[in-house]
Amino acid sequence: MTMAERKRRLVAEELAAAALQLLAQKGFDAVTIDEIAAAAGVSKRTFFRYFASKEDVVVQVLADLGPVMRTELAARPAGERPSLALRNAVWISVAACADGAGRGGASERALRVVQLILGTPALLARFLERQAQWREELAAELAHRLGLDPATAMYPPLAAGMALSAFDAVLRRWSGSDGAEDPAALLEQAFAVLAPALDAVAGPAS
C-alpha cells in the first residue's frame, strides 16, 4: 500500500469512527454531515470525497463481508457438502462482526453498527441492497463449484439466498441480545435447519 493509499484509508477510518460515535449518541436522523466532518476534523467537501451519504459511512463498515464470503466459499474443498461450505463461508463474515464482542475495539463497534443498521430503515434498505449483490456473487461461485449453468439452474440463487437468510437471522439474534448470544451456536442452529435442502443438490442435472 502506498503512502497516499494509507492516508486515504486513515481519513476514511477517522470519518467512520466519528460518524458512528455521533450516530450512536444522537440517532441516525439527528446527525448531520457537517457534524460528522467537524468531529473528524475535516471539511464537508472532504467528507464527500470518501462517502456519498451518511448511509454509506455506516454500510461501508460491513461492505467487505460479501466478498469475504465468496472468497472463503471458493477456497473450500471441492467435495465438501454445500451446507458445510456455505456455513463456513458465512461464518467468516459473522465472525468479523462478532468475535470478541463486548470487549471493546472493532468488534464492539461492529455490534453497534449492526444494531444501527437493523434499527434504521434507511440503513437497512442499503444493507439489503448490498446483500442482493452478495447473493449474486455467492450464486455464481456455487454454480462454478457444482458445474451448474448459472443462467438456468435454480439451485445456486436459492442456496445463496438461504445462506444469506441465515446470516441475517444470526446478526439479528446476536445484535438483539446486545452481543450476549453465541453467534457460532446461532449459526449452527440456522444451518441445521437449512442443511437438508442445501445438500439435496445432485449435481449438474439439478
Side-chain angles (χ1 to χ4, degrees), residues 33-45:
I33 290 174
D34 287 316
E35 288 177 297
I36 294 171
V42 301
S43 67
K44 186 175 181 179
R45 183 176 180 179

Side-chain angles (χ1 to χ4, degrees), residues 178-189:
D178 206 28
E181 290 206 57
D182 179 6
L186 292 172
L187 194 67
E188 288 292 338
Q189 292 173 32

Side-chain angles (χ1 to χ4, degrees), residues 122-204:
L123 293 176
L124 181 57
R126 294 295 295 276
F127 190 46
L128 293 176
E129 287 177 10
R130 293 270 186 174
Q131 288 193 41
Q133 180 182 350
W134 300 349
R135 184 170 58 250
E136 292 181 5
E137 294 170 354
L138 284 176
E141 184 58 41
L142 280 169
H144 175 73
R145 285 174 60 86
L146 298 170
L148 299 171
D149 183 349
T152 60
M154 292 289 287
Y155 178 86
L158 289 172
M162 291 165 68
L164 287 173
S165 291
F167 170 76
D168 188 67
V170 170
L171 286 189
R172 288 177 182 275
R173 282 282 297 274
W174 171 69
S175 64
S177 71
D178 206 28
E181 290 206 57
D182 179 6
L186 292 172
L187 194 67
E188 288 292 338
Q189 292 173 32
F191 273 87
V193 174
L194 300 179
L198 290 173
D199 293 336
V201 63

Side-chain angles (χ1 to χ4, degrees), residues 16 30 43 46 51 53 64 70 83 108 118-119 132 135 148 166 182 195 202:
S43 67
T46 297
F51 300 104
S53 64
D64 292 337
R70 180 173 185 172
S83 64
E108 177 67 17
L118 297 181
R135 184 170 58 250
L148 299 171
D182 179 6

